[in-house]
Amino acid sequence: MTHDHHRWLERAIALATENVAAGGGPFGAVIVRDGAVLAEGQNRVTRDLDPTAHAEVVAIRRACADAGDFSLAGATLYASCEPCPLCLAASLWARVDRVVFAADRVDAARGGFDDQAFYALFEQPRDTWPTPVGALAVPGAFAPFEAWLAKGDRTHY
């Protein structure tokens, strides 16, 4: 890892620590492309009463809005802690080139966060999950995709 990686991780850790002092969760994220910060994010779950307002998601939302694009190709996401499954999926959807993190899921568990439990849950058969998740066959279920495929001017992603 280069000096720049360390610098951006240090910034993500500083954002996380500052956020704790401000009443938020201990997570921070920085998105960088071509050596420039596109956006930063801090965990806003309890502040905004939004369970999706993780630092990485906040940073991704800001970076995409500022860039005017849903793709962050060419960018690196630096996170103070290993992204949870939600944040990892958001990173993949945002098409970042790389994710670099400092603390890991074991550290998060020691800090009182259940990221590790979610990773373990996804390795289990869905029928054993505490929250039932399942499909129900209904007529027209594919209709939205048919409309999408028929739309000639759709934006591919």
Side-chain angles (χ1 to χ4, degrees):
M1 291 282 170
T2 67
H3 172 71
D4 283 344
H5 290 304
H6 288 278
R7 178 172 61 136
W8 299 125
L9 278 178
E10 289 170 2
R11 178 61 185 149
I13 292 167
L15 287 166
T17 304
E18 292 166 10
N19 201 44
V20 171
F27 302 96
V30 180
I31 299 176
V32 177
R33 182 163 51 201
D34 299 326
V37 173
L38 295 181
E40 297 180 337
Q42 294 171 303
N43 182 284
R44 300 185 60 87
V45 171
T46 57
R47 189 177 312 154
D48 294 353
L49 304 178
D50 178 353
T52 69
H54 293 200
E56 298 90 336
V57 173
V58 169
I60 288 168
R61 288 174 180 161
R62 288 179 178 159
C64 289
D66 289 350
D69 196 345
F70 60 83
S71 174
L72 297 175
T76 299
L77 169 67
Y78 295 93
S80 62
C81 187
E82 180 178 5
C84 72
L86 167 76
C87 296
L88 182 57
S91 300
L92 296 172
W93 278 111
R95 310 296 197 259
V96 298
D97 283 9
R98 171 184 266 181
V99 176
V100 181
F101 58 88
D104 64 16
R105 64 182 82 173
V106 175
D107 296 319
R110 283 186 337 166
F113 292 85
D114 50 9
D115 303 42
Q116 195 170 11
F118 286 127
Y119 274 105
L121 176 70
F122 291 137
E123 294 176 2
Q124 304 302 316
R126 198 181 286 178
D127 63 355
T128 67
W129 292 6
T131 303
V133 176
L136 179 61
V138 295
F142 195 73
F145 296 107
E146 289 171 337
W148 172 255
L149 292 171
K151 185 173 173 49
D153 63 344
R154 68 182 179 270
T155 302
H156 296 273
Y157 62 99

